[in-house]
Amino acid sequence: KGPVRADHVLYASHSTWESEAAFLAWTRSEPFRLAHRNAGNAKPLYLGPPEFEGFAVLLTTTGQG
């Protein structure tokens, strides 16, 4: 849950994917369609559609010092 504004509250959802291709494949899958089939029924709850922000990992560490 993010900052509260006069007309809305920002909520964010985070997930980690093996690759961008894997994420895009999921968005085109039947499970995705089934999970989002009733999304339009909640229109009064939202100011607009969700906004996607994607981030790529640039550096990883092994956790060993």
Side-chain angles (χ1 to χ4, degrees), residues 38-51:
N38 296 320
N41 295 342
K43 285 183 181 178
L45 297 176
Y46 304 105
L47 293 175
E51 294 181 30

Side-chain angles (χ1 to χ4, degrees), residues 4 9 15 19 28 30 35 65:
V4 176
V9 177
S15 59
S19 65
R28 297 179 185 113
E30 184 63 19

Side-chain angles (χ1 to χ4, degrees), residues 23-51:
F23 171 75
L24 292 173
W26 173 72
T27 65
R28 297 179 185 113
S29 71
E30 184 63 19
F32 177 89
R33 283 189 283 282
L34 290 173
H36 295 87
R37 69 182 175 268
N38 296 320
N41 295 342
K43 285 183 181 178
L45 297 176
Y46 304 105
L47 293 175
E51 294 181 30

